[in-house]
Amino acid sequence: MRLGFGKGNGVDPTGVLNAIASAVVVANRDGNIRFVNQATEQLFNTSASVLCRTNLTDYIPGDSPVFSLIRQAIDGATLVADHNLMIESPKIGKHTVNLTVGSMPDESDCAVLTFEPRSIAQKIDNQLLSRNSARSVSAMAAILAHEIKNPLSGIRGAAQLLEQTSNEDDRVLTRLICDEADRIVDLVDRMEIFSDKPLERGAVNIHTVLEHVRRLAENGFGKHLVFEEVYDPSLPPVFGNRDQLIQVFLNLLKNAGEAVDADDGTIIISTRYQHGVRLAVAGADARVHLPLVVSVRDNGPGISPDMRESLFDPFVTTKPTGTGLGLALVAKIINDHGGVIEVKDVPGGGAEFQIMLPIYNRALAEDVDEGETMKNRGETV
């Protein structure tokens, strides 16, 4: 199919369409796909070359209102729309979109579909909310370390002195004081990992990280689980910190392992390359492409709607013995990397965490290093 804006005007129509955040699809009456932009690749989790050889029914159920809107637009040579339309299938997951369908004057049997899913602006808002929550915990950790750990040390020391001259019944109480003081110190120590220390980053092979984490899980908490890997071996290195990325995916696998059934628990770890998401990375002037996507999917019961909005907030947990710091830490580390983390339901049951990360390039690394140096000197970045 030829898409043109006129002769000799120097405008590349494909480039213009790829710059649009909404997914644009050209399909005929039967649903055969003739053209897609980059945002469609992200929505359908499939490359353009594959999409243009397939039919919309491969990604959207044939009884979806999408197909009746295509026919209405083509038959009436008009523009039709539907808002808050749910499209769902095992291939693309579940999405609520605003759909506009218009006929093409030069192609009487084709229509242009524009899908507007949850906007990038909403992703950024969620990212900023998670970052602000993490910063609040960072400030709290600094206060706790200074204002609580020192007095607790004195309390514990006094309890130990009392224990030396106490009878057996009183020693139970002094031991209780020491144990509780140790527990509070341990909690404060865990919160100190939220502190805003400079993050050392470089080129990291994400598959080496994931293999390491999987081996840890299989030999520890995940002995009873089935792990499946769906990797894209051609992915470039991540611009990240290996140890912190290990912490992120270890937490996600542990959460997934606790959510699934002990008898048939399955966790799928996958990687892929996507187009279209660009965000500002901390310390850098330019907006950075986030093409590398790592997904952790489980077949558990999923996440309840009332927990979804506060899932990455500190001290929010559904576990009886949980502290609610695990996912808050994950969100902070991903935000420190300039990435985005999302969670969505899996059709048929389960939850999927998707992490979008920047790839390594020398210019980005130098830009971030310069920004960190200026920040440490107290200069304006």
Side-chain angles (χ1 to χ4, degrees), residues 57-365:
T57 54
D58 294 326
Y59 307 93
I60 302 173
D63 58 354
S64 170
V66 171
F67 298 97
S68 63
L69 291 173
I70 292 174
R71 291 189 291 271
Q72 289 177 39
I74 293 175
D75 292 341
T78 185
L79 191 71
V80 293
D82 195 349
H83 297 280
N84 296 322
L85 177 66
M86 177 69 72
I87 56 174
E88 179 180 5
S89 74
K91 280 191 175 181
I92 68 172
K94 182 188 298 184
H95 300 275
T96 301
V97 301
N98 294 333
L99 174 62
T100 304
V101 185
S103 62
M104 293 188 65
D106 297 335
E107 299 284 343
S108 60
D109 197 42
C110 286
V112 179
L113 294 79
T114 304
F115 296 89
E116 296 182 9
R118 192 165 66 97
S119 68
I120 296 299
Q122 287 175 297
K123 291 183 181 179
I124 296 173
D125 286 343
N126 288 343
Q127 181 196 30
L128 292 176
L129 286 173
S130 296
R131 182 174 297 171
N132 289 336
S133 295
R135 284 174 176 168
S136 297
V137 177
S138 299
M140 186 184 298
I143 294 172
L144 288 175
H146 183 266
E147 300 294 338
I148 294 182
K149 289 178 72 174
N150 289 340
L152 279 176
S153 178
I155 293 172
R156 194 183 192 283
Q160 288 176 320
L161 289 175
L162 289 173
E163 188 175 15
Q164 297 175 6
T165 58
S166 300
N167 57 39
E168 191 61 35
D169 291 338
D170 290 338
R171 286 196 190 100
V172 174
L173 297 177
T174 56
R175 191 70 256 161
L176 177 63
I177 294 172
C178 291
D179 290 344
E180 286 302 291
D182 289 342
R183 185 178 64 82
I184 296 172
V185 169
D186 181 64
L187 178 59
V188 174
D189 286 340
R190 291 185 62 187
M191 292 179 63
E192 282 188 299
I193 60 178
F194 285 89
S195 60
D196 291 323
K197 296 179 180 178
L199 180 65
E200 295 183 6
R201 282 184 281 174
V204 177
N205 185 324
I206 194 63
H207 294 126
T208 301
V209 169
L210 296 174
E211 282 294 310
H212 179 77
V213 170
R214 180 185 58 78
R215 286 196 297 269
L216 288 175
E218 285 181 334
N219 290 284
F221 60 84
K223 289 182 178 179
H224 62 291
L225 302 175
V226 175
F227 292 91
E228 297 181 10
E229 298 165 321
V230 185
Y231 294 160
D232 179 351
S234 66
L235 290 181
V238 175
F239 182 41
N241 180 288
R242 181 179 182 274
D243 291 342
Q244 291 207 3
L245 289 174
I246 287 174
Q247 183 69 55
V248 164
F249 293 108
L250 194 60
N251 279 359
L252 291 179
L253 289 189
K254 191 171 187 297
N255 277 357
E258 292 172 348
V260 300
D261 191 288
D263 296 328
D264 63 350
T266 300
I267 298 175
I268 302 173
I269 312 168
S270 62
T271 60
R272 63 183 173 87
Y273 192 93
Q274 74 171 2
H275 299 277
V277 178
R278 291 182 181 271
L279 292 175
V281 174
D285 293 331
R287 299 182 73 79
V288 178
H289 188 201
L290 301 178
L292 199 151
V293 181
V294 183
S295 298
V296 176
R297 175 187 294 194
D298 64 63
N299 63 342
I303 298 170
S304 61
D306 58 327
M307 284 288 296
R308 189 176 300 277
E309 294 301 320
S310 57
L311 194 62
F312 298 105
D313 291 345
F315 307 113
V316 175
T317 181
T318 57
K319 303 173 188 175
T321 59
T323 60
L325 292 177
L327 287 179
L329 175 62
V330 166
K332 180 187 184 298
I333 293 175
I334 295 302
N335 286 330
D336 287 346
H337 280 73
V340 173
I341 182 169
E342 295 185 302
V343 62
K344 62 181 183 179
D345 291 324
V346 176
E352 179 177 1
F353 286 84
Q354 287 191 348
I355 296 94
M356 290 173 273
L357 294 166
I359 61 175
Y360 175 84
N361 66 70
R362 187 177 298 275
L364 173 61

